[in-house]
Amino acid sequence: AVREVIMRKGGDKSVELFQYALSIDSTDQAKMVLYETYSKILSSIGKTDEAVSLKIEGLNFAKKLNNEEFIIQYHVDLASVYLYQNLPDKALFHLNVAEPLTEKKSNKIFRQSLFYHRGLLQNMLGNYEGERINYLKMWDAIKDDKNSPRKRFVLYILVDFFSQVDYPEELAKFTEILSDYYAEANPNTPAGHLPIKDIFEKRADPQNIPLLKRAIEVSDSLNSLNSLTFSSIALAKTYEKMGRPFDGVIALKRVLKKVDTVNKPQLKLYLLSELVRINAQATNYKDAYSFKVEETTLRENINSERMQRNIAELEVKFDTEKKERKIAQQNLQIEKENRQKNMILFGLIALGIVLLISVLFFRKKLQYQKTIAFQKDAIRQKEITELRQKNKLLALNSMIEGQEAERLRIAKDLHDSLGGLLSTVKAHFTTIQKEMAQLEKLNITEKTNSLIDEACIEVRRISHNMVPHALSISGLKGAIEDIVVNLQDEGFEVTLEISNLP
C-alpha cells in the first residue's frame, strides 16, 4: 500500500519518500517489496545502474523469503533494464530463469509481461518472426481476461507490431478487437481521438504503400472496417505527402461506401473529417464543403445521441441510486429490526441462562439442605441411639449396683444376723455341754456343735461368694488371684494371665 501511494502521489519526491519508508521499516519483507518499485523510479530517471543493484538486492531478499511472485517480478524487471542497456545476453538469462516459474497456475499472471520482454529481445536481435511468436504468446496469456487497460495495452502492442510487418490478417484481427475494447471502455471519446490512428499515421510513408495496399485488401476481404479505414487514411496521407491528394480522395471514398453499409458513426465521422481535409488539399472545395456539412450533421447527431445516452445513463444512475438508497434504508430498517430481534433473543437467552442457573442453584441448595438435614437426622438418630445405650448402661449399672447392694445386704444380714445367732446358739450349747455330762455321753452335743460350725462356715462361704472379701479389699485383680488360689487348693491346674486391666 505504501509503494502504491508513493507511486501515485510522490512525484519528484518519490525517491525521498521511499528512503523514508525504508528508514521506518527495514525488515527483509519491506525491502523486498519496496525495492521493486523504488528501482523502477530510479530507472525512469536514468539511474539504471543503481536500479540494477537495487533489483539484485531485492531479488536476494525474495529468494531468502521464498516468495516466487517477487522472484519472477525481479527477474523480468532486470531483463527490462538490461534490454534498455543493450545487454541482451543478461536479459535472456533472467527471462530463462523466470519462465519455468510462470508455468505454475498461481504465477500465470506474469506470462504476459515475460513474453512481452521476450518479444522486445527478439526485436533487438532483429528476429521479427521470433518477436511475432512471443507477442502472440503474450496475447494467449491475457486473451481470456476482462477488458482492462493492461489488456488494451497488449492489443496496442500487437497492432503497432503488425502494422509494421507484412501480416495483414493479424493486423485486421487485432485492430478490430482493440477498437471494440476501446469503444466499450470509452464510449464518449470524441471522433479522431482513438489511439489506433496514431499507429497507422506512423505508416504514412511512400515505402509502406505496398504494405498499406495489402492491409486494405485483406481488411476488406475480412470485413475488418477499422483496419480498412485506418489503413486507407494512412494510404491517403501517403499520397498527400507525394503530391497526389486526388488518389487519396479516391481511396477514402471507396472506404466511405463500405462504412455507410454499417452503423459505425464514430468511424464514419473520422473518415469524413479526413475527406474534408484531403479534398481541400486537392482544391476540390465543393466536395470538401459537402463532406463538411455531412460531418457537421453527423457530429451533431452523435453529440445529440451521446447527450441523450448520457442523460439516460444519468437517469438510470439516479434511479439506481434512488433504488439503492431505498434498498439501503430497507436494509438499515431490516438490520435495525434484526438487531432488536437479536437483542430480544439474546435477552431471552440471557434470562433463560439466569433462570437455568437459578434453578440449578436452588436445586443444588435444596440438595445441600436435604443432605444437611439428612446428616443432622443421622446425627440426631446417632445421639438418640447413644443416649439409649447410655440409658441402658445406666439401667444395667443401676441394676448391677442394686444387685450388688442387695447381695451386700444379704451377705451382711447372713453374717451379722444369722452368723451371730448361730454363734450365740453354739455358745449356749457349749454351756449346756459343760453342765450336762450326760449329754456328752450320748455324743449329741459334739455332733450339734459340729453342725453349728459347719453352718457358720457355710454362712461365711455364701456371704463371701456373694460379695468376695478379696474384691473389696484388693480389687478385681486380687479377687481373681484369690479364686485361682482356692481352685488350686481344690486340686485344679490353673494358669492366670492379666494384662492391661483398667
Side-chain angles (χ1 to χ4, degrees):
V2 173
R3 62 174 183 166
E4 292 173 0
V5 171
I6 295 175
M7 286 294 290
R8 286 200 307 267
K9 299 183 179 181
D12 296 336
K13 294 185 178 180
S14 296
V15 173
E16 296 178 12
L17 290 172
F18 270 112
Q19 291 174 348
Y20 175 71
L22 288 166
S23 67
I24 294 176
D25 188 355
S26 59
T27 60
D28 293 349
Q29 178 76 20
K31 289 179 179 178
M32 178 189 72
V33 173
L34 293 175
Y35 281 1
E36 195 271 331
T37 311
Y38 184 20
S39 60
K40 286 182 178 178
I41 292 177
L42 293 176
S43 294
S44 66
I45 60 178
K47 297 182 178 181
T48 54
D49 290 335
E50 293 181 27
V52 167
S53 299
L54 208 59
K55 289 180 187 296
I56 291 173
E57 193 173 350
L59 177 60
N60 291 330
F61 284 123
K63 290 178 179 178
K64 180 180 177 181
L65 298 172
N66 196 27
N67 190 312
E68 281 193 352
E69 291 186 4
F70 275 92
I71 290 173
I72 296 170
Q73 189 64 59
Y74 274 117
H75 279 300
V76 174
D77 287 351
L78 281 165
S80 178
V81 178
Y82 285 135
L83 287 173
Y84 179 80
Q85 293 180 336
N86 198 23
L87 297 171
D89 52 338
K90 291 187 176 182
L92 181 61
F93 167 78
H94 288 284
L95 292 174
N96 287 338
V97 173
E99 186 168 359
L101 298 176
T102 63
E103 294 294 335
K104 291 184 179 180
K105 188 175 180 180
S106 58
N107 298 328
K108 290 286 186 182
I109 190 173
F110 297 101
R111 291 184 67 77
Q112 172 260 319
S113 180
L114 175 79
F115 288 120
Y116 170 65
H117 286 89
R118 279 197 177 279
L120 294 178
L121 176 62
Q122 295 300 321
N123 178 273
M124 180 181 291
L125 298 175
N127 183 2
Y128 300 114
E129 180 59 24
E131 184 179 5
R132 170 181 169 273
I133 292 172
N134 280 286
Y135 282 160
L136 290 175
K137 287 182 179 179
M138 174 181 67
W139 170 246
D140 287 337
I142 201 173
K143 67 180 180 181
D144 294 328
D145 291 1
K146 63 181 181 179
N147 187 0
S148 64
R150 180 164 165 262
K151 190 172 185 179
R152 293 195 296 274
F153 169 76
V154 169
L155 286 166
Y156 186 88
I157 297 298
L158 289 166
V159 173
D160 184 51
F161 170 73
F162 286 117
S163 69
Q164 301 176 51
V165 293
D166 190 16
Y167 291 99
E169 292 85 358
E170 282 85 354
L171 176 63
K173 171 186 173 182
F174 292 115
T175 300
E176 288 302 310
I177 296 173
L178 178 57
S179 299
D180 291 341
Y181 275 21
Y182 195 86
E184 177 187 338
N186 304 278
N188 294 325
T189 301
H193 288 76
L194 290 176
I196 305 173
K197 75 180 183 64
D198 297 330
I199 299 174
F200 284 89
E201 285 179 357
K202 291 189 298 184
R203 305 179 68 195
D205 190 275
Q207 65 180 2
N208 289 330
I209 289 178
L211 289 176
L212 289 170
K213 285 184 176 181
R214 179 164 166 72
I216 291 170
E217 181 183 351
V218 173
S219 299
D220 191 17
S221 65
L222 296 174
N223 202 28
S224 177
L225 293 181
N226 286 285
S227 177
L228 174 63
T229 301
F230 293 122
S231 296
S232 299
I233 291 172
L235 181 60
K237 287 187 175 183
T238 302
Y239 285 141
E240 185 182 352
K241 288 181 180 180
M242 297 170 63
R244 297 162 53 187
F246 291 103
D247 292 334
V249 170
I250 294 170
L252 294 179
K253 283 183 177 181
R254 189 182 300 116
V255 178
L256 184 60
K257 290 180 181 179
K258 188 87 172 179
V259 173
D260 279 336
T261 61
V262 295
N263 184 24
K264 286 187 174 288
Q266 286 282 5
L267 198 60
K268 183 178 180 179
L269 187 62
Y270 186 45
L271 191 57
L272 288 171
S273 178
E274 289 297 320
L275 279 167
V276 171
R277 189 186 58 77
I278 202 165
N279 271 290
Q281 287 291 327
T283 66
N284 190 359
Y285 300 113
K286 182 179 179 180
D287 287 346
Y289 175 75
S290 177
F291 285 123
K292 186 63 180 178
V293 171
E294 189 176 358
E295 178 197 0
T296 304
T297 303
L298 181 59
R299 191 182 300 276
E300 289 176 354
N301 291 336
I302 291 173
N303 291 336
S304 177
E305 289 177 2
R306 183 181 294 122
M307 186 177 297
Q308 290 176 1
R309 185 169 60 251
N310 290 340
I311 291 172
E313 288 177 358
L314 289 172
E315 288 178 350
V316 171
K317 288 180 180 179
F318 179 71
D319 292 338
T320 304
E321 187 176 352
K322 277 175 53 179
K323 290 179 181 178
E324 288 177 350
R325 192 181 298 113
K326 187 176 181 180
I327 292 171
Q329 290 175 350
Q330 291 175 347
N331 290 336
L332 186 63
Q333 183 65 26
I334 292 170
E335 185 179 352
K336 185 178 179 181
E337 292 175 356
N338 289 336
R339 193 181 301 115
Q340 291 175 347
K341 289 179 181 178
N342 290 335
M343 289 177 65
I344 293 171
L345 181 61
F346 290 147
L348 291 173
I349 292 172
L351 182 61
I353 292 172
V354 170
L355 289 174
L356 181 61
I357 293 173
S358 300
V359 169
L360 292 174
F361 173 76
F362 285 115
R363 186 177 177 183
K364 195 75 176 177
K365 188 175 181 181
L366 287 173
Q367 289 178 348
Y368 176 74
Q369 290 176 346
K370 286 182 179 179
T371 303
I372 295 297
F374 178 78
Q375 291 176 349
K376 286 182 178 179
D377 185 64
I379 292 170
R380 208 163 30 244
Q381 292 295 329
K382 186 177 180 181
E383 290 176 349
I384 291 170
T385 303
E386 290 178 353
L387 187 60
R388 286 176 179 173
Q389 290 176 349
K390 285 182 180 179
N391 290 336
K392 284 183 179 180
L393 288 173
L394 287 173
L396 288 172
N397 286 335
S398 298
M399 184 177 67
I400 292 171
E401 287 176 359
Q403 289 177 349
E404 291 296 326
E406 184 65 18
R407 287 182 178 184
L408 183 62
R409 184 186 65 78
I410 293 171
K412 187 177 180 181
D413 288 345
L414 287 173
H415 184 272
D416 293 344
S417 299
L418 183 59
L421 182 60
L422 289 174
S423 297
T424 303
V425 171
K426 183 180 179 181
H428 284 291
F429 272 104
T430 303
T431 304
I432 293 172
Q433 185 181 14
K434 289 179 180 180
E435 293 179 356
M436 297 180 67
Q438 192 175 357
L439 292 174
E440 290 180 359
K441 291 179 181 180
L442 296 174
N443 202 22
I444 295 172
T445 57
E446 186 177 351
K447 290 181 180 180
T448 303
N449 192 34
S450 177
L451 290 171
I452 292 170
D453 287 338
E454 288 179 8
C456 289
I457 291 168
E458 186 64 20
V459 167
R460 193 179 296 112
R461 186 186 66 78
I462 293 170
S463 176
H464 284 177
N465 285 341
M466 293 187 72
V467 181
H469 186 65
L471 185 64
S472 60
I473 295 174
S474 56
L476 177 62
K477 181 179 178 182
I480 294 173
E481 290 174 347
D482 185 57
I483 292 171
V484 169
V485 172
N486 291 333
L487 289 172
Q488 289 175 344
D489 290 342
E490 293 179 10
F492 293 99
E493 292 184 3
V494 181
T495 302
L496 175 64
E497 293 182 7
I498 297 175
S499 62
N500 298 325
L501 183 68

